[in-house]
Amino acid sequence: MYNKEIFNEELDLIVNKELRLVLEEALLKAPSYFYTAPASSSGKYHPEQDSGEGGTIRHTKTCIRVGLDLLRSEQFIEDNDYNRDVIISALMLHDIIKNGFKDSKNTVSAHPLFACSFLYSLDIEKVNFSIISEIVNCIKSHMGIWNKDREGNEMLPKPQTQIEKLVHLADYIASRKYIDYMKREDI
């Protein structure tokens, strides 16, 4: 269940007020497992901090921190309100439907596409189409080279733009075993 406090710090960084309302709606309508599931059901693909109850939330918050650090470096794109809003939004939503719409208890290969469908199902008409489109492209490509289904069929695009590459890299870095940013009791 959505706890307003969990993402308040990140939501407060969103400058586009209409986009913030969409993110709040997304968090309210997110599957309950988003708040309780581990980031990796096997524990093989994320650091220990992301295992157990609330692991996906810890992973998501770490992704946003890493993404903002990469943005501040201006090695990919200019640090401005628009880019910050896209990065925070994409990383907040990238794993929101990670286990599918019916909670398969495991990561679903198509979860980036499900997250995009979920975003499009929200009340987004007041938000500029270009920012929604950029967020969707970042979410769709956040898996990088791991863009194939279990049978080896390519199903997701690889990051192409600098902002897509930044979002992918933030997720990738946050999933490394050596990351120990957030303790379980921090959420």
Side-chain angles (χ1 to χ4, degrees):
M1 179 186 225
Y2 173 61
N3 176 344
K4 181 180 170 197
E5 306 299 312
I6 290 175
F7 284 106
N8 271 353
E9 185 179 336
E10 294 81 5
L11 289 168
D12 285 346
L13 299 173
I14 300 292
V15 174
N16 182 315
K17 300 304 177 201
E18 290 81 15
L19 180 58
R20 181 187 169 127
L21 291 173
V22 168
L23 293 172
E24 289 173 350
E25 180 186 359
L27 293 168
L28 281 169
K29 293 182 175 179
S32 60
Y33 73 77
F34 176 65
Y35 296 98
T36 59
S40 170
S41 58
S42 69
K44 292 191 297 190
Y45 303 110
H46 286 81
E48 187 174 334
Q49 74 174 19
D50 296 345
S51 63
E53 180 90 10
T56 300
I57 295 299
R58 288 186 295 280
H59 168 69
T60 300
K61 291 174 81 64
T62 302
C63 285
I64 293 169
R65 293 263 189 255
V66 172
L68 291 174
D69 280 344
L70 291 171
L71 178 63
R72 279 185 210 101
S73 76
E74 293 197 348
Q75 297 301 302
F76 294 89
I77 52 176
E78 178 184 347
D79 184 357
N80 60 39
D81 292 344
Y82 178 89
N83 289 335
R84 194 173 312 106
D85 282 0
V86 169
I87 291 163
I88 294 168
S89 301
L91 290 168
M92 188 177 291
L93 301 176
H94 81 283
D95 282 344
I96 201 162
I97 312 289
K98 188 168 187 166
N99 294 352
F101 288 105
K102 296 183 181 184
D103 188 8
S104 72
K105 305 293 185 209
N106 295 306
T107 300
V108 176
S109 299
H111 77 273
L113 302 177
F114 293 165
C116 295
S117 293
F118 177 71
L119 176 57
Y120 281 128
S121 76
L122 303 174
D123 186 18
I124 59 172
E125 61 268 352
K126 292 181 181 172
V127 182
N128 182 296
F129 176 76
S130 68
I131 197 166
I132 294 293
S133 178
E134 197 131 33
I135 292 165
V136 163
N137 289 337
C138 288
I139 292 170
K140 279 195 295 192
S141 64
H142 86 265
M143 295 295 292
I145 64 169
W146 298 278
N147 65 338
K148 296 179 175 137
D149 64 16
R150 297 193 193 290
E151 288 77 43
N153 301 308
E154 194 167 301
M155 61 181 305
L156 301 168
K158 291 181 181 175
Q160 299 298 312
T161 67
Q162 291 298 92
I163 199 164
E164 290 169 12
K165 290 174 183 177
L166 185 152
V167 166
H168 162 65
L169 191 55
D171 180 46
Y172 177 73
I173 292 169
S175 71
R176 300 302 80 205
K177 292 270 190 195
Y178 54 80
I179 295 294
D180 192 19
Y181 166 72
M182 186 174 292
K183 303 293 183 222
R184 291 177 201 216
E185 60 273 5
D186 285 346
I187 63 164

